[in-house]
Amino acid sequence: MAYTRVEIPSAELTRQRDICFDIRSGNERAGRAPLAYVDTYGCQQNEADSEELRGYIELMGFGFTADENEADLIVINTCAVRAHAEMRILGNVGALVHAKAKNPNLLVAVCGCMVQQPHMAEKLKQSFRVVDLVFGPHELWRFPELYKRARDTKKRVFAVEDSDGVVAEGLPVRRSGSVKAWLSIMYGCNNFCTYCIVPYVRGRERSRRFDDVVAEARSLVEAGYKDITLLGQNVNSYGRDLDEGRDFADLIRAINDIPGDFLIRFMTSHPRDATEKLFRTMAECEKCAKHIHLPVQSGSNRILKAMNRHYGREKYLEEVRTARELMPDIVLTTDIIVGFPGETRSDFDETLSLVREVGYDAMFTFIFSPREGTPAAKLPDPVSREEKQVWFDELVELSNSISGEKHAAYAGKTLRVLVDGETGRDGYNLSARTNGGRLVHLKGGAELIGRFINAKITGWNTWALYGEIQED
Ligand code: SAH
Ligand code: SF4
Ligand code: F3S
């Protein structure tokens, strides 16, 4: 697949920052600190993008609010992966007419994956007059310029041209947490799974340079972050588009070498490219969390082929075996699609049997959602929605019972966990994560947030563990 890497020149990014400073001094002259609300849908990649948008918005001199009626700027960062997400987003965008009626100066921007689809950009243009600015993922780096144009011209701005995508280094970031951080290591996807919209809206696969990623990881560790998640649609192909001769396993090792007590997580791993080298590296790197999210999508070879996944059930199970041989306690999670066009009950039974055989700690399950422009959306789909729902419920029940068993096995064990926040509830007021990423509720003081502590597991349910803090 021919793709010429496009890196945004630093002079361009400086120009964007200068626009931010201009806007900021304008706001200061007017003697007011405007407020912004950034709402995010979709995956962690989108969360990471929103942190960059907030970085720009902060430079512009805005404060932040979670109340849309208070906001002078609302940015909705959208997802297109399933119809359900899009319906919710459109409903919420439509409802902004009320906020706009109260504050005619409110500027509404909609960005992200959903608007990168031409039919959706058109829909916003025709039927959602409340929206002032629309820009796709490829334009995020020039948000300040787009915002200023929409604000100053009072004309609607649409920046959604199709593109293979760019790499922009050094955007400002305003991170949402102080314990856990997202770190995008690559963008886009080349896999074109037949059901998936992501490659169409996120462009071609492109990796950030090795040294840039390691430098950002180092600065996160120095800033006190304890849990760093490396993000990409398929992290296992990291580096393939660069001429640096280093792969994802090398990247984990380099980050593992950064001094400090912290955890390295990553997602998502495509089973087609998961190598023994990766598992070995995970096992050898003491800071790498022993968790792998390895989306299988289906247990039927026939369906995997139709999905264009490039692996079969046997190869997948072999990978799971290798991972468990090297890391006996590894936590395994997955994604599964139920009701892919043409899937039969016997294909679905193969999914159930694979799930039983692997025994996932947790699963994310979805009913197939046809995405306009993808090959699977054109396939005959004879199984009714009701039938798919029955299969789906069966799968969820199986998954819950396995998760319950896995959690029960933690009872009485003492684990090293990272306290990452407050639950907002009385009683079990703290939340923590095990090395493998399982949620643990604890009772304790807020000063423990950001610390690794030992916890003895005393209770559990399908979704979480409950524990008591052990004094050292
Ligand atoms: N890059 C990741 C997945 C990103 S999308 C990977 O390859 O694993 C997250 C999950 O959404 C996918 O794993 C898949 O299970 C689900 N998904 C994607 N497209 C879908 C569709 N059209 N209908 C239903 N589920 C879908
Ligand atoms: Fe979508 Fe497949 Fe790419 Fe994941 S690997 S983002 S499922 S096309
Ligand atoms: Fe959604 Fe885009 Fe992520 S489609 S899942 S927000 S890459």
Side-chain angles (χ1 to χ4, degrees):
M1 217 165 300
Y3 164 67
T4 317
R5 186 184 172 85
V6 180
E7 293 184 21
I8 304 298
S10 65
E12 265 303 314
L13 294 172
T14 307
R15 194 169 70 82
Q16 298 301 323
R17 280 180 188 252
D18 288 345
I19 296 173
C20 291
F21 295 134
D22 253 17
I23 294 170
R24 181 190 203 110
S25 41
N27 283 330
E28 279 165 5
R29 273 198 305 276
R32 56 188 295 272
L35 293 175
Y37 175 41
V38 180
D39 196 10
T40 313
Y41 296 79
C43 62
Q44 290 87 349
Q45 194 95 62
N46 251 21
E47 296 287 347
D49 287 354
S50 285
E51 292 186 339
E52 293 186 335
L53 284 166
R54 288 195 195 93
Y56 269 141
I57 292 170
E58 187 173 42
L59 280 189
M60 293 174 182
F62 279 76
F64 291 90
T65 174
D67 177 356
E68 54 200 34
N69 291 311
E70 229 177 49
D72 302 280
L73 166 64
I74 295 179
V75 185
I76 305 206
N77 192 3
T78 63
C79 172
V81 84
R82 285 171 291 276
H84 179 73
E86 293 189 332
M87 305 279 275
R88 262 180 63 217
I89 293 165
L90 290 177
N92 292 346
V93 172
L96 291 178
V97 289
H98 304 296
K100 193 124 181 182
K102 280 187 210 139
N103 174 9
N105 288 324
L106 168 65
L107 195 146
V108 175
V110 183
C111 64
C113 296
M114 185 184 89
V115 307
Q116 193 60 48
Q117 305 168 99
H119 72 278
M120 275 296 177
E122 196 52 34
K123 195 182 190 98
L124 290 172
K125 198 176 259 173
Q126 301 302 334
S127 317
F128 292 80
R129 301 291 310 175
V130 68
V131 180
D132 304 292
L133 165 61
V134 172
F135 61 100
H138 309 308
E139 318 281 347
L140 188 150
W141 65 273
R142 60 187 194 111
F143 169 69
E145 166 189 352
L146 297 170
Y147 164 78
K148 188 170 185 314
R149 194 188 310 159
R151 190 194 67 172
D152 294 353
T153 63
K154 303 265 181 221
K155 292 211 179 92
R156 305 176 81 199
V157 173
F158 283 74
V160 288
E161 239 169 81
D162 192 21
S163 155
D164 283 345
V166 299
V167 177
E169 282 299 335
L171 265 55
V173 192
R174 180 189 156 95
R175 296 187 192 273
S176 302
S178 56
V179 181
K180 300 199 267 192
W182 309 120
L183 204 179
S184 293
I185 64 167
M186 57 198 297
Y187 311 98
C189 183
N190 286 352
N191 286 311
F192 290 94
C193 302
T194 53
Y195 51 81
C196 185
I197 195 69
V198 172
Y200 301 87
V201 294
R202 286 268 175 181
R204 298 290 60 74
E205 215 162 75
R206 49 215 191 270
S207 305
R208 291 179 63 196
R209 296 201 180 276
F210 197 89
D211 293 344
D212 288 336
V213 177
V214 176
E216 186 169 347
R218 181 169 288 115
S219 73
L220 288 170
V221 171
E222 285 166 0
Y225 286 94
K226 296 283 186 273
D227 181 311
I228 299 172
T229 304
L230 311 179
L231 296 177
Q233 293 302 338
N234 176 18
V235 290
N236 298 342
S237 54
Y238 171 82
R240 257 184 223 167
D241 56 316
L242 297 172
D243 46 9
E244 301 185 325
R246 287 181 285 191
D247 64 13
F248 181 56
D250 300 328
L251 184 64
I252 293 183
R253 206 175 278 284
I255 297 176
N256 191 69
D257 285 342
I258 298 171
D261 194 7
F262 63 95
L263 282 170
I264 307 166
R265 302 186 187 280
F266 56 87
M267 68 188 323
T268 296
S269 283
H270 195 305
R272 153 190 175 168
D273 309 304
T275 57
E276 188 177 329
K277 178 180 175 189
L278 170 68
F279 296 131
R280 215 166 269 293
T281 306
M282 287 177 73
E284 287 169 8
C285 290
E286 73 287 357
K287 294 171 195 167
C288 186
K290 305 302 180 262
H291 166 215
I292 191 157
H293 182 64
L294 203 57
V296 68
Q297 314 297 358
S298 166
S300 152
N301 281 333
R302 199 176 71 81
I303 295 300
L304 286 170
K305 196 161 178 23
M307 287 176 163
N308 194 33
R309 290 289 286 180
H310 293 280
Y311 57 84
R313 177 189 176 98
E314 293 70 27
K315 173 173 155 65
Y316 184 90
L317 289 171
E318 184 58 40
E319 286 175 8
V320 169
R321 259 193 300 279
T322 308
R324 283 200 167 131
E325 262 165 39
L326 293 164
M327 296 166 281
D329 291 331
I330 192 164
V331 167
L332 275 162
T333 56
T334 202
D335 294 346
I336 290 182
I337 297 177
V338 174
F340 183 84
E343 185 176 6
T344 62
R345 175 70 216 195
S346 91
D347 293 313
F348 178 66
D349 283 338
E350 293 200 40
T351 297
L352 292 176
S353 88
L354 179 134
V355 166
R356 273 191 214 100
E357 194 165 338
V358 175
Y360 292 102
D361 294 80
M363 295 173 25
F364 299 88
T365 45
F366 311 100
I367 292 181
F368 169 74
S369 171
R371 305 285 67 212
E372 193 171 316
T374 63
K378 299 185 199 80
L379 295 173
D381 191 3
V383 175
S384 69
R385 174 78 199 198
E386 291 70 31
E387 182 73 7
K388 290 183 184 184
Q389 188 67 47
V390 171
W391 297 358
F392 180 84
D393 293 344
E394 224 176 298
L395 182 61
V396 171
E397 198 176 317
L398 174 61
S399 157
N400 286 347
S401 81
I402 298 172
S403 295
E405 281 170 31
K406 294 261 170 192
H407 281 171
Y410 284 93
K413 289 192 179 156
T414 297
L415 309 171
R416 187 166 189 261
V417 301
L418 173 63
V419 183
D420 60 12
E422 288 179 287
T423 60
R425 277 181 287 156
D426 293 340
Y428 286 94
N429 60 316
L430 293 180
S431 71
R433 292 274 167 182
T434 66
N435 178 290
R438 308 312 298 147
L439 176 63
V440 186
H441 293 297
L442 300 169
K443 297 175 192 171
E447 73 282 358
L448 295 175
I449 294 170
R451 282 180 38 197
F452 288 99
I453 54 148
N454 288 323
K456 183 172 179 184
I457 304 305
T458 51
W460 68 91
N461 60 27
T462 310
W463 300 277
L465 304 167
Y466 292 81
E468 276 170 18
I469 295 171
Q470 306 290 290
E471 304 300 333
D472 299 317

